[in-house]
Amino acid sequence: MRALSVFSAKGDEFVPPSSVDFVLPPIFENIPFITKPILLVLLSVLLVSLFFSLSARKAAVVPSKFQFAGELVYGFVRKDLGQEILGHDFKRFMPYLFSLFTFILTNNIFGIVPFLQFPSFSRISFAYVLGIITFGVFHYVGIRKQGIKKYVKDIMFMPGVPKPVYILLTPIEIATFLVVRPLTLSLRLFANMFAGHLLLMIFILGGEHLLQGAIAMKAVGFFAFGMGIALTFFEFLVQCLQAYIFTLLTALYIAGGLADEH
Amino acid sequence: MSKRSDESAIWTILGYLLSGLLFWGGVGYFADRFFNTSYLTLVGILMGMGGGLYLVWLRFGR
Amino acid sequence: MTGTLNLVGYGLAAIGPGLAVGMIFAAYINGVARQPEARSVLQPIAFLGFAMAEALALFGLVLAFVL
């Protein structure tokens, strides 16, 4: 209790981080759209393209370490997300799947890289754009493969149901395919990044604040800092997993469009 | 399908339930506001959930 | 502190379905691991059970906003 009173006597009360902390001010005063997330996305594009073009430029039969690292990532996406899910026709979609995976992964990992420390996908508009692109791709593939009439009919009418029930079911099917699928895809990515960043902010900022307090506070502060470090590793896991899940579901949706049966 | 079909099935189930609730619940909600009643939202939610569960049964349960 | 008790209620209501989903998939994995050829029999049951449990969680979510 005494510690607490000393604490509040200082007059600097702890302000817990909230969603306001995600709205970053523009870097240059007079250009409103250049903010940190935009720059991070551009940096990630640069990094990914540079890394993979360099690692593939001097491709040799006996790979250098650099080439090996590039091929490891590509091989993972190709085998685990391409071949296994899309079957024999997977090569057409590899450029999209691979760039999606590396782009999301790089942007997510920016969340724990020192000095950058902001996952771009905790701004929801970036996640929406990726969701919309995937939405376009898997519907386009489905329509090209089956023809627009059959594709729409397959979506709207589940076989083996008495006719009046379609009034109940058809709106649900349309809502699932046109709204909920891309929405959940982008919301899952956004929510994980947002919550993870918020969690790290709470533990690290709160720990720092506690360390400046009285002696009993300092002990708790150490604990909070330790949790912050442990959660940073946990966040790394979540970030990799989210990039993987986004790409996996994209591949699965494309496979659903390619498959003849519903 | 591949052995990964489980993962997409789970998200598809969630999507069906969610969109059933949102669509028919939304219809019920606006019907409530239109007719100045208060029970249509509940009817809409139950109907949407029933439809969603029925779709899941049609697609995965048979 | 401001907020609504609905959200606390939803948090409590989500415990049950969370446990249920975990138990359903634990049983499903157990079954498939012991007898891989039973997969096609177990899969619809597991998915229907998952749908039922998830339906309760979504009910809670909607009612937290509507009520």
Side-chain angles (χ1 to χ4, degrees):
Chain A
M1 231 29 231
R2 190 174 152 67
L4 271 177
S5 63
V6 168
F7 196 58
S8 53
K10 266 190 186 167
D12 52 346
E13 228 174 279
F14 179 60
V15 184
S18 65
S19 58
V20 182
D21 290 307
F22 287 85
V23 186
L24 298 172
I27 290 172
F28 307 110
E29 287 265 325
N30 41 2
I31 316 173
F33 56 84
I34 297 188
T35 53
K36 194 176 170 187
I38 294 272
L39 289 181
L40 282 180
V41 166
L42 290 178
L43 176 67
S44 76
V45 171
L46 208 68
L47 275 179
V48 169
S49 46
L50 214 66
F51 177 73
F52 285 107
S53 51
L54 278 183
S55 73
R57 200 172 52 172
K58 284 192 201 131
V61 181
V62 180
S64 62
K65 267 182 190 158
F66 203 45
Q67 189 194 340
F68 179 72
E71 280 177 358
L72 195 69
V73 181
Y74 182 74
F76 167 71
V77 178
R78 180 190 163 106
K79 188 173 158 297
D80 220 50
L81 296 172
Q83 223 162 7
E84 215 165 81
I85 293 167
L86 293 170
H88 58 94
D89 205 15
F90 71 99
K91 271 191 188 150
R92 271 200 301 156
F93 305 104
M94 274 317 291
Y96 179 59
L97 290 181
F98 182 61
S99 35
L100 196 63
F101 179 71
T102 46
F103 178 65
I104 297 175
L105 186 66
T106 319
N107 270 302
N108 285 354
I109 286 179
F110 280 165
I112 56 170
V113 172
F115 304 113
L116 301 175
Q117 267 169 338
F118 190 85
S120 345
F121 288 112
S122 59
R123 300 308 314 251
I124 197 167
S125 31
F126 292 114
Y128 276 153
V129 169
L130 286 191
I132 287 168
I133 295 173
T134 289
F135 171 79
V137 166
F138 82 80
H139 280 304
Y140 177 77
V141 166
I143 288 170
R144 273 295 293 277
K145 171 92 183 180
Q146 305 179 17
I148 186 152
K149 222 172 173 181
K150 186 172 176 298
Y151 187 67
V152 173
K153 195 174 147 270
D154 262 7
I155 285 182
M156 280 168 57
F157 300 110
M158 181 76 70
V161 177
K163 280 229 165 59
V165 185
Y166 281 132
I167 301 169
L168 179 69
L169 296 189
T170 305
I172 301 178
E173 292 248 41
I174 292 173
T176 306
F177 276 84
L178 294 190
V179 184
V180 171
R181 267 191 173 185
L183 200 68
T184 49
L185 203 59
S186 30
L187 275 181
R188 188 178 312 120
L189 179 60
F190 157 75
N192 271 287
M193 290 305 110
F194 183 84
H197 195 56
L198 203 62
L199 197 68
L200 288 186
M201 275 204 291
I202 284 177
F203 271 102
I204 291 173
L205 290 182
E208 186 204 3
H209 193 86
L210 285 172
L211 278 182
Q212 292 163 356
I215 191 78
M217 290 292 208
K218 279 200 169 70
V220 186
F222 268 115
F223 178 70
F225 240 84
M227 274 301 279
I229 292 168
L231 280 172
T232 305
F233 286 107
F234 175 70
E235 266 312 294
F236 178 71
L237 193 73
V238 171
Q239 284 158 349
C240 295
L241 198 68
Q242 286 308 313
Y244 175 69
I245 286 183
F246 198 102
T247 322
L248 174 71
L249 282 176
T250 301
L252 282 169
Y253 289 161
I254 292 173
L258 282 177
D260 288 325
E261 35 85 55
H262 186 61
Chain B
M1 277 271 264
S2 67
K3 61 184 174 183
R4 291 311 179 88
S5 58
D6 276 19
E7 279 155 73
S8 108
I10 288 161
W11 292 112
T12 308
I13 290 171
L14 195 63
Y16 275 148
L17 297 177
L18 206 62
S19 45
L21 261 183
L22 289 182
F23 184 82
W24 286 111
V27 167
Y29 181 74
F30 283 109
D32 256 356
R33 294 184 64 173
F34 190 73
F35 295 116
N36 276 327
T37 50
S38 63
Y39 60 91
L40 285 177
T41 312
L42 190 65
V43 175
I45 288 173
L46 287 175
M47 220 167 97
M49 193 49 92
L53 283 174
Y54 186 40
L55 264 177
V56 171
W57 181 76
L58 282 174
R59 184 133 176 219
F60 298 105
R62 297 193 288 191
Chain C
M1 240 205 257
T2 55
T4 153
L5 270 180
N6 282 358
L7 294 180
V8 179
Y10 175 57
L12 290 176
I15 294 173
L19 285 176
V21 170
M23 283 164 77
I24 288 162
F25 279 106
Y28 174 52
I29 292 167
N30 248 327
V32 175
R34 279 175 192 221
Q35 205 175 349
E37 61 269 29
R39 185 193 182 97
S40 56
V41 182
L42 293 178
Q43 198 180 32
I45 304 171
F47 283 172
L48 281 181
F50 167 72
M52 293 288 174
E54 198 60 41
L56 292 179
L58 291 175
F59 263 132
L61 178 65
V62 169
L63 290 180
F65 283 111
V66 169
L67 286 182

